[in-house]
Amino acid sequence: MKKAFAIAGLVSVSLLTAACSESGSGAENGTVGISMPDKSLERWEKDGNNMVTELEGLGYDVDIQYAQGETQTQSEQIENMITKKVDALIIAPVDGSTLSDPVNLAANQDIPVIAYDRLIMNTENLDYYTTFDLVTVGEIQGQYIVDALDLDNTDESFNIELFGGAPDDNNARFFFEGAMNVMQPYMDEGQLVVQSGQVNFNAVATESWSASNAQTRMDNLLTGHYSDEDIDAVLAQNDAIAQGVVSSLVSMGYGSDSRPMPIITGQDAEVSSVNSIIDGNQTMTVFKDTTALAKAAASIVDAILTGEEPEVNDTESFDNNEKVIPTYLLDPIAVDVGNYQEILIDSGYIDSSDVE
Ligand code: GAL
């Protein structure tokens, strides 16, 4: 059964119970448990810190745990927070298909659950989701490649290889779908040529979004398919993958006047990638303002726990196989060497001392 607090307009006894339940912390408004996937990517630490700041600012205590990329560890950490009677849970899953048990356990205790950035699948007890428009992220990457190669104004053909995200991350397929929405017509016309022939998500996915996995695959692609011709573009679906691709290309002699770097996309505006963009290695990244995402998650929690109706702007797109999850979507932005200063530095998202 759907929990009472999630029904619009119904402020029920369970809501009041949740709001007043003992967390043992003595925090004014209760304790929020935050479960994050890992610290291997810069972004998750930043996301976590932002949420702590937001929630503490709203008068909550925060219990934040990182799961070291292990699904089992994440389930145990969440169950532990439930035992400690947190008042709400915000979860960014390692693998969104493995968390239905702990989420159902939370529901039994009337603890609301919000999925952060990545959807939690196969449970009717997930209450809200906040993320960036995932298909748009991929479309931005695809469109950047089309524009950078000026495909609409030439008959020339260009070589491209595709690198998708982690196969167990629900977001990754949406990113890939977005990129292919834009690029497929150019592939069909023969303007974008994938010499390896690897064009399906499963063939191009990158386990764990790992830079070293991407580097190894890129080494193999370059050796196997690009000894006679150069590669012109690489769809890399996040910054870690882009950096693995860059390392491989540099080791094969790209990045010189006679063999320029291909167009390389990315995602997350991580500091190392922004520096790489400034250096002319990676070409672009998709900036997802994690400060805004953290604010959105904190205000959904705050609304639930204070009996308000959380603000959402998408009630159609995100079906977790059990129900469509009410979602608050934010807009991603393309960043390259032309606008990083304004979008990332002047805004204060990245400190100027962190870039060259
Ligand atoms: C996705 C997320 C991306 C990127 C990627 C790698 O789920 O939406 O922004 O961070 O994971 O962790």
Side-chain angles (χ1 to χ4, degrees):
M1 209 185 79
K2 200 169 192 288
K3 285 169 290 169
F5 55 72
I7 297 171
L10 259 193
V11 181
S12 71
V13 174
S14 73
L15 166 67
L16 296 173
T17 314
C20 303
S21 74
E22 271 182 31
S23 63
S25 64
E28 200 185 328
N29 295 331
T31 300
V32 180
I34 302 179
S35 169
M36 301 299 281
D38 59 66
K39 288 192 174 178
S40 71
L41 293 186
E42 177 190 300
R43 69 155 296 186
W44 297 123
E45 215 164 340
K46 198 162 178 162
D47 286 84
N49 293 342
N50 286 337
M51 272 188 283
V52 171
T53 307
E54 283 299 323
L55 287 163
E56 287 182 349
L58 291 167
Y60 296 95
D61 262 358
V62 180
D63 181 354
I64 181 163
Q65 315 260 351
Y66 284 81
Q68 294 155 335
E70 299 288 338
T71 53
Q72 183 61 27
T73 305
Q74 186 163 40
S75 293
E76 286 165 9
Q77 288 176 337
I78 294 168
E79 281 163 17
N80 196 267
M81 291 180 197
I82 295 170
T83 307
K84 287 199 272 175
K85 294 194 189 321
V86 293
D87 297 286
L89 278 165
I90 300 175
I91 303 172
V94 174
D95 174 348
S97 67
T98 64
L99 291 178
S100 49
D101 284 350
V103 169
N104 294 339
L105 192 66
N108 288 337
Q109 311 279 327
D110 276 333
I111 298 170
V113 182
I114 293 92
Y116 183 89
D117 197 85
R118 298 172 175 170
L119 190 55
I120 298 172
M121 308 301 289
N122 310 323
T123 170
E124 62 174 354
N125 289 309
L126 177 65
D127 298 297
Y128 290 94
Y129 180 33
T130 184
T131 191
F132 286 84
D133 195 320
L134 304 171
V135 174
T136 302
V137 169
E139 287 175 347
I140 289 174
Q141 294 171 333
Q143 193 61 50
Y144 194 96
I145 290 173
V146 166
D147 292 344
L149 298 175
D150 204 15
L151 295 185
D152 290 333
N153 296 308
T154 177
D155 293 331
E156 248 185 279
S157 68
F158 297 90
N159 291 324
I160 184 170
E161 292 293 336
L162 314 175
F163 284 71
D168 53 5
D169 178 351
N170 188 59
N171 289 5
R173 283 165 206 277
F174 286 98
F175 300 146
F176 192 68
E177 177 191 324
M180 294 308 266
N181 285 346
V182 177
M183 297 195 305
Q184 188 68 55
Y186 299 92
M187 292 182 181
D188 294 345
E189 287 298 316
Q191 272 192 284
L192 287 175
V193 180
V194 182
Q195 295 288 350
S196 69
Q198 296 170 12
V199 291
N200 295 320
F201 177 76
N202 288 337
V204 306
T206 311
E207 202 66 52
S208 309
W209 294 93
S210 137
S212 67
N213 289 343
Q215 183 170 353
T216 305
R217 177 161 173 259
M218 191 67 190
D219 287 347
N220 292 336
L221 290 172
L222 291 174
T223 317
H225 304 279
Y226 295 92
S227 41
D228 296 335
E229 43 192 321
D230 287 347
I231 183 161
D232 304 298
V234 179
L235 174 79
Q237 296 222 275
N238 85 341
D239 284 348
I241 294 172
Q243 287 307 295
V245 165
V246 166
S247 301
S248 170
L249 287 161
V250 168
S251 74
M252 300 279 183
Y254 282 82
S256 60
D257 285 347
S258 58
R259 217 177 190 196
M261 274 290 182
I263 309 297
I264 304 169
T265 62
Q267 170 181 193
D268 286 341
E270 296 205 330
V271 168
S272 50
S273 278
V274 175
N275 279 305
S276 178
I277 289 171
I278 296 168
D279 288 344
N281 289 330
Q282 189 173 328
T283 319
M284 64 86 71
T285 186
V286 178
F287 169 51
K288 309 201 303 192
D289 186 344
T290 54
T291 317
L293 190 63
K295 262 202 177 85
S299 61
I300 290 174
V301 164
D302 190 44
I304 296 172
L305 294 181
T306 55
E308 304 288 325
E309 194 180 338
E311 189 186 340
V312 294
N313 55 15
D314 185 304
T315 51
E316 287 173 5
S317 309
F318 296 98
D319 189 331
N320 78 346
N321 298 335
E322 287 290 338
K323 68 174 191 187
V324 176
I325 310 298
T327 297
Y328 189 81
L329 278 184
L330 294 114
D331 290 328
I333 301 174
V335 167
D336 66 6
V337 75
N339 67 352
Y340 81 89
Q341 176 72 37
E342 180 195 342
I343 306 276
L344 300 177
I345 314 294
D346 297 350
S347 68
Y349 186 79
I350 289 179
D351 204 284
S352 60
S353 63
D354 287 335
V355 293
E356 296 137 23

